[in-house]
Amino acid sequence: MTNQKNSPIVRSVLGTLFVLCFSFCILSFPAAFAQTSASFNAEKEVHTRQYMELLNRVYTYVLQNYVDEVDPQLLYEGALKGMMGALEDPYTAYLVPSQMRDLNDTTMGDFGGVGLSITKPVENTADKPAYVEVVSPIEDTPGWQAGIQPGDLIVSIDGTSTADITMEEVLKILRGPKDSVVNLIIKRGKATEFSVRLVRAIIEVPTVKYGMIDNGRQKTGYLRIIEFTPKTAERVQDALDSFKKAGFTSLIIDLRNNPGGLIVSVAEVADKFINKGVIVSTKSRLMFENSVYRASSKTAVLPENTPVVVLINKGSASASEILAGALKDYHLAYLVGERTYGKGSVQKVIPLPNSDGIKLTTARYYTPSDSNIDKIGIPPDKEVLLPALTEAEEKAYAALIADEAIQTYVASHPNMNETDIAVFARTLEGSYKLDLRLLRRLIRMEVNRTKTAELYDLDYDIQLIAALEILTKPGFDALVKSAKTLNELQSAAADDGKTALSEKIKSASTEGGKKK
C-alpha cells in the first residue's frame, strides 16, 4: 500500500493543485494579475507554465478518476484554501461567499453575531493548541457585555474545540440569527476557565465615542476610536468640534482594543493632527503596490501645541498602530499603556467571479520614521500595566464567575449607585479575596450590562488616570519632544542585540581559552 504522505500524485494535489483553479480566475482579471506576471523573469515564467500544465493534468486526472464523482467546486475551493494556507500568513485567506458578505458587513454595515474581533494561530500542536484568541471585544455587544477581554482564549464554541477547526468554521458558528444562543468556554491566564452564554445580536460596526473629562484641573477631550471605517474621520471631526465648543485644553486619544480597519480611514484621521509629511507608506515587492499617504496643512484642525496623550494596549492593532506610530514619530503625542499588537502588514481583498474572493497580504506599512512594527508592536513612552491576577486570585475569580454572585445580587438590587457598588464590593472581598477596584469594576459592568457602555471609568482605569496625571504636569511639550521615534527605538534595540551577541562571543572565547 502506498504511503499517501510520500505519493507524488498526492503531493501534487495537496502541494501545487492549489494554483490550478485560480488560473481560471486570472482570465477574468487580466488587469489585476498581468502586472504580476510581468515582474517574473524568463526562468520563472518557464517554471510557472510547467506547473500550470502539471496542475491541469492532475486536476483532470482527479476529476475523472477519483472513486466517487467529484464536484468541481470542491476542488476549486480546496485549491484556493490550500494555496492561501501554504503561505502560512494568518492574514491571507480564501474567502467563500459567506465570508465575503461577512467582511463587507464588518467593514461597512452590520451583522448577526457576538461582537468579538478574533484571530487564530496557523499552527496547532499538543503543547500549544490553536485556540481562537480575542483581539478585542466590540463595545456594547454581547461579547463586551459578558466581560470578555483582549487576550482571552475561546477554547470551545457550543462544545466544539476551536483548536481543531478553521477560522472559517469558527466564524460560521459564532455568527447567526439575532436572539439565538451560543455557548463559549473562555480561558483567561494560565488556569482560569469559565463558560459564557451569549445571545447573538445585530452587531453595528462602531467607530467613535467621545466626551469631556473635567476634573477641575483641566478640560480634556476624550476621544475613543473603536475601529477605522469609512465614517471614522467624519465622527472624529464631530468630536473635535464638540471639544472646541467645550473649551478643551488637552486631548486623550484612546486606541486601546482598536483592531484596525481601513488604511484610507486612518490616514484621513491622522491628517487632522499632522500638518505635513508622510503619515504612512506601504512597501511591496511590486512597485505598483507601493503607496504613500501624506498630510496636508489644509486638513489639520487640531490647535497647535495642544497636549495629546494616546492610550494603547495589546489590543491596538493595524490601523490604530499607524495612527499611534505617526503621532509618536512626529513628536505630537505621548503614548501611555502597553505595547501594541504588532500587525504591520496590508491586505487587499480581491473579489472573484463566484461571489467569493481572496484576502492577500500585498505590502507592509512603515511609519514616518520608516519603521515597520510587524510582530514587534509599538512600545508606550510610559508603560502602565493593568494588575495581573496571581494564581490564588485566578482561582477566586473563576469561583466568582461560576457562583454568579454578582449577577444574582445585581438582579435583585436594581438601580445600584456608586455607593451601593462600593458596599457590595467590600462584602464580596471577604469571600473572594480580589482587589476592591476590580470587584467594583465587575459589579459596575453588570449594573450597566443592559445599558450603553460607560465612556470611561476613572475608578478602575489606571491607564487613563495616568494619562490625565501626565497632562497636568509642567513640561509636557519637552516630555513629548524627548521621546524617541520608532526608528530610534528599533535602531537602539538592534545595537543592544549586537552588543549582547558580541559580549557572548567574547565570553565564550575567554572561557574557551581558560579551558585550554
Side-chain angles (χ1 to χ4, degrees), residues 119-426:
T119 186
K120 192 178 191 300
V122 174
E123 213 172 309
N124 182 28
T125 65
D127 294 333
K128 196 173 182 181
Y131 294 131
V132 167
E133 181 179 352
V134 176
V135 175
S136 62
I138 299 173
E139 287 195 11
D140 299 328
T141 65
W144 186 91
Q145 291 168 344
I148 296 175
Q149 300 177 6
D152 283 350
L153 299 179
I154 303 176
V155 175
S156 70
I157 308 171
D158 285 339
T160 300
S161 171
T162 62
D164 303 323
I165 57 178
T166 64
M167 179 64 99
E168 176 187 338
E169 292 168 317
V170 169
L171 294 173
K172 188 175 181 181
I173 300 173
L174 283 178
R175 293 190 173 185
K178 181 179 180 291
D179 295 329
S180 58
V181 174
V182 61
N183 294 288
L184 311 182
I185 299 295
I186 300 294
K187 183 175 182 180
R188 181 172 296 162
K190 294 181 179 179
T192 303
E193 285 195 12
F194 53 93
S195 60
V196 176
R197 179 181 182 272
L198 300 178
V199 179
R200 295 183 182 93
I202 297 300
I203 309 300
E204 296 182 3
V205 180
T207 181
V208 167
K209 291 188 176 183
Y210 60 91
M212 291 295 297
I213 301 176
D214 190 347
N215 59 5
R217 291 179 292 176
Q218 83 259 49
K219 288 186 175 181
T220 301
Y222 175 78
L223 170 62
R224 176 165 175 73
I225 304 178
I226 300 166
E227 192 165 356
F228 289 94
T229 73
K231 292 288 187 182
T232 303
E234 182 182 342
R235 298 292 174 260
V236 167
Q237 187 61 57
D238 292 342
L240 294 175
D241 291 342
S242 173
F243 298 155
K244 187 176 180 180
K245 287 180 182 178
F248 79 120
T249 55
S250 57
L251 176 65
I252 292 176
I253 303 174
D254 192 344
L255 298 176
R256 291 174 298 178
N257 304 329
N258 180 323
L262 303 175
I263 192 170
V264 173
S265 174
V266 70
E268 290 175 350
V269 170
D271 206 359
K272 297 181 182 298
F273 303 101
I274 301 171
N275 281 316
K276 62 179 180 179
V278 173
I279 294 171
V280 63
S281 60
T282 67
K283 300 179 185 180
S284 170
R285 67 188 181 93
L286 305 173
M287 287 296 293
F288 70 88
E289 292 286 1
N290 295 347
S291 58
V292 179
Y293 296 83
R294 298 182 183 277
S296 167
S297 58
K298 295 178 181 179
T299 53
V301 294
L302 187 72
E304 230 178 300
N305 301 320
T306 300
V308 179
V309 168
V310 175
L311 292 173
I312 53 174
N313 68 359
K314 62 184 177 182
S316 306
S318 192
S320 58
E321 292 173 295
I322 289 176
L323 180 58
L327 294 177
K328 178 174 175 58
D329 277 353
Y330 283 116
H331 300 286
L332 294 175
Y334 196 72
L335 274 52
V336 173
E338 7 175 344
R339 184 179 290 270
T340 61
Y341 184 81
K343 181 182 179 293
S345 58
V346 180
Q347 285 69 45
K348 178 180 288 186
V349 176
I350 304 172
L352 298 176
N354 297 325
S355 299
D356 53 352
I358 60 171
K359 183 176 68 169
L360 187 70
T361 298
T362 56
R364 292 185 176 88
Y365 74 73
Y366 291 77
T367 69
S369 65
D370 202 34
S371 298
N372 178 258
I373 52 84
D374 200 41
K375 299 180 178 65
I376 301 172
I378 298 174
D381 297 312
K382 179 177 178 59
E383 185 177 57
V384 180
L385 302 177
L386 296 176
L389 297 179
T390 65
E391 189 174 337
E393 287 173 331
E394 282 191 356
K395 290 179 180 178
Y397 185 90
L400 177 63
I401 298 295
D403 294 344
E404 297 186 349
I406 293 177
Q407 294 93 319
T408 302
Y409 186 88
V410 171
S412 60
H413 295 77
N415 304 317
M416 291 176 68
N417 58 31
E418 282 299 317
T419 302
D420 299 329
I421 289 171
V423 170
F424 181 44
R426 286 193 292 272

